[in-house]
Amino acid sequence: MSAHLQGAEVERARASAERALQAIHFREEAERRNVWLALLNLEAVYGSEDTLADTMRKALQANEPLHVYNHLARLFCQQQKMDKAEDMYRTVVKKYKQRRHSWMELIAFIMQQNRHDEARHTLNRALATLPKKEHVALIRDMAILEIRRGDVERGKTLFESLLRQLPRKGELWTAFAETLAKTGHMPDARDLLARAATVRMSAKKAHGLFKRFLTLEEKCGDQSGQERVRTLAMEYLQKDAASEDVN
């Protein structure tokens, strides 16, 4: 269809898509979905409100609706049709309210519009709706979003609250450090490593933690930072071995 799209030959592109849908086996869900998404792109750019609405209705019937709603939300964002994009994100939350990513996609969209207070209020709604097993990941995602797009100190506070609850969860330490480093706060990320090195955790978790910190220094830090990670890792292993000997 891309050649037709480039030439703006809309009717021929529509016909091409219809032939593709007839030719692709119904079990090839991904291939069929790609054709439907291409049709939505076509109508969003070259069609009318009516043809887009009609194609959306058919796409929702023929595919998992979540894929269609999310595609349209991103498409409307690209076209700077923010009201329509928000409608899609809110529709997803309404229909998939027990899905954490549905809430985070809406929260991220609102945050990108610089409606920070509303985004935080939406987080509270999500926490009240989602099961408790999703809360840690939801707060972690919000903390990352705050550091990247909102209030850095608020994001740090959210991460710290999680670390107080789950000090041995290595993924939280690395997610916190990586977010700080990638937003220009490498000294804070290094301070975090020093703190993480004092927390007793399993050898497997400790190995993964220091490996991630080393990769972070390789990407965002420098040679001295890499050596510091290696030194801290060695000291950690020595202390752990000594503790095992005592026990």
Side-chain angles (χ1 to χ4, degrees):
M1 281 179 60
S2 60
H4 296 307
L5 286 173
Q6 291 172 7
E9 299 172 354
V10 179
E11 290 303 326
R12 287 180 59 189
R14 286 176 178 142
S16 175
E18 292 296 336
R19 289 194 299 272
L21 289 171
Q22 292 174 9
I24 300 172
H25 195 278
F26 75 93
R27 293 188 183 276
E28 300 291 334
E29 294 181 8
E31 291 297 321
R32 293 180 64 83
R33 181 170 66 246
N34 287 338
V35 176
W36 278 110
L37 298 185
L39 264 172
L40 288 169
N41 292 346
L42 173 73
E43 297 301 344
V45 176
Y46 299 103
S48 65
E49 293 285 339
D50 289 340
T51 59
L52 177 58
D54 185 56
T55 302
M56 175 181 169
R57 177 181 58 78
K58 293 177 181 177
L60 287 169
Q61 292 174 346
N63 300 273
E64 164 55 53
L66 181 62
H67 294 298
V68 177
Y69 288 126
N70 281 336
H71 181 77
L72 283 169
R74 291 189 292 269
L75 183 59
F76 288 139
C77 283
Q78 291 171 4
Q79 295 182 319
Q80 296 299 305
K81 297 178 180 178
M82 296 308 181
D83 288 345
K84 291 185 176 182
E86 186 165 344
D87 286 343
M88 291 297 103
Y89 285 123
R90 291 191 180 279
T91 297
V92 170
V93 164
K94 183 177 180 180
K95 292 181 177 293
Y96 302 89
K97 63 179 62 178
Q98 294 299 310
R99 178 177 175 269
R100 173 171 55 86
H101 291 294
S102 300
W103 287 97
M104 278 313 305
E105 285 157 0
L106 174 60
I107 291 169
F109 173 83
I110 295 171
M111 188 75 86
Q112 287 169 1
Q113 309 307 305
N114 293 320
R115 291 147 52 191
H116 296 172
D117 289 341
E118 184 180 345
R120 292 159 191 150
H121 174 70
T122 305
L123 171 68
N124 291 333
R125 288 177 51 212
L127 289 169
T129 303
L130 291 168
K132 287 188 177 181
K133 66 180 182 179
E134 297 283 4
H135 286 194
V136 170
L138 183 68
I139 295 170
R140 177 206 61 202
D141 292 347
M142 185 63 180
I144 292 171
L145 194 59
E146 284 282 8
I147 292 173
R148 288 179 176 172
R149 298 184 178 276
D151 184 329
V152 173
E153 293 305 318
R154 186 184 290 266
K156 290 180 180 180
T157 298
L158 288 173
F159 262 123
E160 293 290 357
S161 70
L162 292 177
L163 289 173
R164 283 194 296 273
Q165 298 174 45
L166 301 163
R168 293 181 175 83
K169 194 171 181 64
E171 181 272 338
L172 290 176
W173 291 98
T174 54
F176 192 1
E178 287 171 358
T179 305
L180 289 171
K182 291 176 182 178
T183 53
H185 300 88
M186 194 64 190
D188 290 341
R190 288 178 174 134
D191 290 343
L192 200 63
L193 168 60
R195 287 173 51 201
T198 67
V199 177
R200 183 76 182 275
M201 59 184 71
S202 70
K204 183 178 180 180
K205 286 185 177 180
H207 179 269
L209 180 71
F210 285 112
K211 185 176 180 180
R212 293 283 291 275
F213 271 109
L214 183 58
T215 300
L216 189 62
E217 283 288 355
E218 290 170 349
K219 291 181 177 180
C220 304
D222 51 34
Q223 189 65 40
S224 64
Q226 295 171 37
E227 290 302 321
R228 183 167 179 263
V229 173
R230 294 188 180 97
T231 299
L232 286 170
M234 185 63 67
E235 291 174 352
Y236 186 95
L237 292 174
Q238 290 172 348
K239 290 179 181 178
D240 190 58
S243 176
E244 290 293 330
D245 290 341
V246 171
N247 294 330

